[in-house]
Amino acid sequence: MIAIEHLTKRIGGTTIVDDVSMVVEAGTITVVVGTSGAGKSTLLRMVNRLISPTSGRVLIDGTDTMTIAEDTLRHRIGYVIQGNGLFPHWTVARNIATVPRLIGWDASRIDQRVTELLALFQLDPGEFAGKFPHQLSGGQQQRVGVARALAAEPGLLLMDEPFGALDPIIRRRAQDDLLAIQRRFGTTIMLVTHDMEEACHLGDRIAVMHEAKLLQYGTPAELLIRPAEGFVERLVGSSERPFRLLSLAKVRDAVEPGDVPGSPVDPDLNLRDALSRLIWTGAERLPVAPEQGRPGGHVSVAGIIAHGRSSMRLSE
């Protein structure tokens, strides 16, 4: 668990981060969102002490980070930046092995970990371990950057605009890769973005910052249904809010009984994408693929709309 207590950073007469307090629960993803200059990246860098706070403190599992040697602290925290920061003249394998080598892992353990992570990110070790960063696509570089951050098995991963340089298709794939990895390892993640769509897709909780202050901190549904007045309302967007709320629920949450013809919908698909598919195909209903312990059934335009309305009422 990360406890951020009254964290403040001032440079000269300018306040970059202003008295921010929040708790990031272990094993969750917290997304810090806001416009450029809101203080998001500075907040993240104070967690691993790349920037020292003017006042306040950060506790990781109850320990004040100021009592931990800087090198020790940073070796325990994975860190991913936009553009990945891969060393251009090192191979993929050596890039991934950076922190394990620094902290003294033996060669066989390092080799095993590099192979495991490459396979996990669907990068064939025989093909990719000896390549250099310039020989990889943007999406492959991104995966190597995340693999390097996870190499020493950190309990905490900090990510600063990690997907900002990727095109939309590769970006969504990278986001889904991250969710799969987080579910597998249970890593606690703090991720900075300016994109509310990305925040809703990835975050268990979202922290909205504006002009150095933390304006609201809650689940995606809480922010969409009850946004704080002013900046947060504008950020979540009045016209987009219903569709973003639908994106938080899965098809399995709105399955109706009965078989219907058509190509089956994955029960793990979110309701916004399911509604898009229904509209695109001109169908009122589509079958839902069965999953273990659950029958199939179908999903419908009317059922999805009713589910969205019900979610709004239950949360008010």
Side-chain angles (χ1 to χ4, degrees), residues 3 24 43 66 82 90 93 101 111 139 160 217 287 295 298 306-307 310:
V24 177
L43 177 69
M66 294 302 291
Q82 182 174 331
W90 286 7
R101 285 163 60 100
D111 289 344
D160 193 355
Y217 184 45
H298 70 271
H307 186 279
S310 175

Side-chain angles (χ1 to χ4, degrees), residues 30-46:
T30 289
V31 180
V32 185
V33 65
T35 55
S36 179
K40 309 182 301 296
S41 295
T42 300
L43 177 69
L44 198 73
R45 291 169 191 166
M46 286 193 284

Side-chain angles (χ1 to χ4, degrees), residues 201-266:
H201 182 53
L202 294 176
D204 294 299
R205 291 174 71 85
I206 299 172
V208 180
M209 292 190 67
H210 183 57
E211 296 180 344
K213 293 182 178 294
L214 178 63
L215 300 186
Q216 189 169 0
Y217 184 45
T219 66
E222 288 169 348
L223 266 68
L224 290 171
I225 294 167
R226 293 186 297 274
E229 291 183 5
F231 177 79
V232 182
E233 283 183 317
R234 296 193 298 273
L235 183 67
V236 300
S238 57
S239 61
E240 292 89 354
R241 283 168 61 190
F243 300 102
R244 286 176 174 161
L245 191 61
L246 283 177
S247 74
L248 304 180
K250 304 295 185 183
V251 164
R252 66 171 59 88
D253 301 322
V255 172
E256 302 169 57
D259 296 330
V260 300
S263 179
V265 175
D266 189 327

